[in-house]
Amino acid sequence: MPTWWKNFVTSFTPETAPIYAAAPTVKVQMLDVIPAPNQRRGEAEISSPDDVSSAKKPNLFDKITRAAGSSTTFFAMLAILGVWVLLGIIFGPTDTWQIILQNTSSIQVYVTDILLIRQSSNAGRSMMTTLAELQSRNKTCERLLRQLPSCSWMETHKEKPKQLLVNGRPIEEEIESLYMINGRQTWFQKTWSKTCHVVSKSVGSVWAFMFYWIGIVVWIFLGIPVQFSNEWQLYINTITALSLTLTSVFLQNIQQQQEDNLEKSLEYALKVDAKVEYRLREITEDTKPNPIHEIPLRPLSRSERAIARFAAIMGSGLGVLISLVALIAWLAVGPILKFDDNWVLIIGTFTGLVGFIDGFVLRNIYAIDETSVALQFRALMYSDSRLLEVLNIPVPLEPVKKLSLSERISLATSALCGHRYASVGAVLVVVGLLVTASILRWSETGQLLCNTPTMIAEGFLLLVLIQAHNFSNMERGRDFNGLLKRRLLLSSYVSDLEDQKH
């Protein structure tokens, strides 16, 4: 089978394979061996042809997903919305002007939901693969240290615990000075990063949740004097569409920022890891490759498997294909319906209903991925701690932040929306709306009933997803700080070891 065809099929196939990795084995050029050309004596060489990992090279769909999360895409979307507002000022806020935004927003949010699912899947698998690499090298380091008599528990515990310095400074000071992990940022990058942090903290708070629903309640009361007319529904759909577009693109942008930062941070940890392995192999002259560490797939209930399959399909090329088929079908029935108001609303109804389910599914897979990654970080912490305790090095512990009442409420709301039964409930709601719209013969009122509640709910779900991102970002920062501290302490200890053979 040609490579291009395999890549094409892979991009349209949900990724469900187990996660595994073996850290690239560090090859040391021994001092008593003639070094290879252009290689200095004692220099480490990282193997690459024999690397074993479940990580896949990004395909075109992955590259599009990454580009969609860039700041360029966000500002381009702001520019498009600016043009729409300008047209409204010039020609007036007509129904057509509002429906154009609603339909365009529905399609954009629908596509963004697909990309968010893909982005979450890629980030989760990439993170887990890197953690498997770290565990793989941990096993090697533990095996190599056992070969050194001076590193046995009996020998290391003859003295008091070692208070190691990293580069001549306490570990806390060294961690704070590691600005080079993410490199030197430009003024724009710093400003944009800080702005995103402030906005995401505000938008993902319980106060934003309350403000959102207060606005909805006010809108409901304003519907009484106008007898809940179609025009009344149209206004909230327009406001919600604007909110959905901004929050969905913003969420994708901050998710990409988090992924990029964690990728750079873990790359730095892997470099420190490789130095530890190099030094130990240099002392022991051991060349046995690093073992494969596999992270088994988490067992899922029947409903969770159904949700995972839905997310896998929507987050693959199949999801894009479904979208294209729906768009072509909508355009095809346009002449039959004479491009009337009902036809205009059809695409918004379809994308709104599917997007409503996507919102709950996204929160569910975020929760599952967050739990899985947290468990792997914890397993790595136990593995590191066991190694440091044998060497009689105090294990640095990260302080746990005490959450405020508002943070606990927002977390509870987020957890409720991420429960598997919430996704099942979303499907039942959509079925109920479809039945209602069918009874109303898919009139303008029937379609607006499908559009309005789902758009309102999806707008709230995006706020919940931003809150989930904020919490995940905080947790991963704490996990990485702990990981890096342990790695630097181990590196400091190993670099001071004298050459010895058992």
Side-chain angles (χ1 to χ4, degrees):
M1 186 180 291
T3 304
W4 67 268
W5 177 251
K6 284 184 179 179
N7 293 336
F8 177 77
V9 172
T10 300
S11 68
F12 277 81
T13 306
E15 185 66 69
T16 56
I19 296 169
Y20 60 89
T25 301
V26 177
K27 297 178 181 177
V28 180
Q29 187 68 40
M30 302 306 171
L31 295 177
D32 56 349
V33 179
I34 299 174
N38 303 321
Q39 182 179 351
R40 293 171 295 181
R41 291 180 182 272
E43 182 180 354
E45 176 195 342
I46 306 291
S47 64
S48 54
D50 300 323
D51 294 350
V52 181
S53 173
S54 59
K56 305 289 188 228
K57 289 184 178 179
N59 54 37
L60 180 60
F61 191 21
D62 295 325
K63 291 174 182 176
I64 291 171
T65 301
R66 195 176 190 90
S70 66
S71 56
T72 303
T73 302
F74 180 79
F75 286 112
M77 190 60 65
L78 284 182
I80 293 170
L81 288 174
V83 171
W84 173 78
V85 171
L86 187 62
L87 290 174
I89 294 172
I90 296 172
F91 300 105
T94 62
D95 289 356
T96 303
W97 176 75
Q98 293 186 69
I99 291 172
I100 286 173
L101 174 69
Q102 290 173 26
N103 281 348
T104 306
S105 173
S106 293
I107 296 169
Q108 174 268 315
V109 173
Y110 178 78
V111 172
T112 300
D113 283 345
I114 292 174
L115 296 176
L116 280 168
I117 292 172
R118 183 70 169 197
Q119 186 183 47
S120 176
S121 173
N122 288 349
R125 290 190 67 85
S126 176
M127 172 83 71
M128 298 284 268
T129 303
T130 303
L131 291 174
E133 249 187 79
L134 289 164
Q135 285 281 35
S136 167
R137 188 168 276 128
N138 248 21
K139 292 175 182 177
T140 294
C141 291
E142 188 172 356
R143 178 176 60 79
L144 296 177
L145 283 168
R146 283 176 183 167
Q147 298 179 25
L148 304 176
S150 65
C151 295
S152 66
W153 194 92
M154 293 295 291
E155 288 295 321
T156 57
H157 284 71
K158 286 180 178 179
E159 301 175 356
K160 291 182 179 180
K162 298 174 182 64
Q163 299 296 331
L164 296 176
L165 299 177
V166 178
N167 295 329
R169 295 189 293 176
I171 185 66
E172 297 294 343
E173 292 182 15
E174 180 65 12
I175 287 289
E176 289 177 3
S177 69
L178 285 175
Y179 64 88
M180 74 287 292
I181 290 176
N182 291 320
R184 292 185 179 276
Q185 294 182 314
T186 63
W187 175 86
F188 171 78
Q189 288 173 324
K190 287 181 182 177
T191 305
W192 178 238
S193 180
K194 289 179 180 177
T195 302
C196 287
H197 178 72
V198 172
V199 172
S200 65
K201 291 292 284 185
S202 302
V203 173
S205 67
V206 68
W207 308 112
F209 296 173
M210 291 171 62
F211 181 78
Y212 184 87
W213 286 113
I214 287 171
I216 298 302
V217 170
V218 169
W219 166 73
I220 291 172
F221 277 104
L222 289 175
I224 297 173
V226 295
Q227 298 181 344
F228 306 107
S229 64
N230 289 344
E231 194 76 17
W232 167 79
Q233 290 192 59
L234 200 62
Y235 285 138
I236 194 64
N237 283 0
T238 302
I239 295 170
T240 310
L242 187 61
S243 168
L244 282 169
T245 294
L246 288 171
T247 51
S248 63
V249 178
F250 178 71
L251 175 61
Q252 194 168 14
N253 180 258
I254 58 176
Q255 284 279 95
Q256 191 61 57
Q257 284 186 46
Q258 182 193 37
E259 185 181 342
D260 291 343
N261 289 339
L262 280 171
E263 192 176 292
K264 291 176 183 176
S265 300
L266 288 170
E267 278 178 10
Y268 182 84
L270 286 170
K271 286 180 182 178
V272 176
D273 240 16
K275 289 179 181 178
V276 173
E277 182 190 350
Y278 164 65
R279 178 59 181 153
L280 289 174
R281 288 190 184 277
E282 186 180 42
I283 295 171
T284 60
E285 299 184 8
D286 188 301
T287 59
K288 185 178 178 180
N290 293 321
I292 297 174
H293 181 84
E294 182 173 343
I295 298 175
L297 295 176
R298 176 179 175 271
L300 301 174
S301 64
R302 185 178 298 178
S303 57
E304 286 175 327
R305 284 198 299 273
I307 294 167
R309 287 194 192 102
F310 177 85
I313 291 171
M314 294 306 293
S316 68
L318 287 174
V320 178
L321 191 60
I322 292 169
S323 307
L324 289 174
V325 169
L327 184 62
I328 291 169
W330 175 63
L331 293 172
V333 299
I336 300 172
L337 298 177
K338 299 179 181 180
F339 301 102
D340 60 9
D341 291 342
N342 277 358
W343 173 82
V344 172
L345 287 170
I346 286 173
I347 191 66
T349 301
F350 168 75
T351 54
L353 291 173
V354 178
F356 172 70
I357 297 173
D358 282 348
F360 285 99
V361 168
L362 262 169
R363 181 64 196 100
N364 180 263
I365 62 174
Y366 274 24
I368 291 174
D369 288 347
E370 173 65 20
T371 302
S372 299
V373 170
L375 286 172
Q376 293 307 314
F377 264 110
R378 195 175 305 164
L380 188 59
M381 181 190 70
Y382 290 148
S383 177
D384 290 347
S385 300
R386 186 173 62 249
L387 199 57
L388 292 176
E389 284 170 4
V390 169
L391 300 174
N392 201 17
I393 301 171
V395 180
L397 298 175
E398 287 298 300
V400 179
K401 179 190 172 186
K402 187 176 180 181
L403 299 175
S404 64
L405 177 61
S406 62
E407 287 175 324
R408 291 199 298 274
I409 292 172
S410 60
L411 276 174
T413 305
S414 180
L416 182 64
C417 294
H419 196 279
R420 64 181 183 275
Y421 291 140
S423 298
V424 175
V427 173
L428 295 177
V429 168
V430 167
V431 171
L433 289 171
L434 290 173
V435 170
T436 304
S438 298
I439 293 171
L440 296 173
R441 298 186 178 182
W442 291 95
S443 62
E444 185 175 345
T445 301
Q447 292 204 61
L448 285 173
L449 281 174
C450 286
N451 273 334
T452 305
T454 55
M455 287 182 73
I456 291 171
E458 192 176 2
F460 175 69
L461 283 169
L462 283 171
L463 300 183
V464 169
L465 287 170
I466 290 174
Q467 187 278 334
H469 159 83
N470 293 340
F471 183 74
S472 172
N473 202 26
M474 180 185 72
E475 289 292 296
R476 293 296 75 79
R478 191 163 64 89
D479 288 334
F480 174 71
N481 272 345
L483 167 65
L484 189 55
K485 285 177 186 178
R486 297 189 299 271
R487 286 296 181 276
L488 289 172
L489 286 173
L490 183 59
S491 178
S492 177
Y493 179 89
V494 169
S495 64
D496 292 337
L497 286 175
E498 296 179 359
D499 289 346
Q500 52 186 302
K501 301 173 187 175
H502 70 227

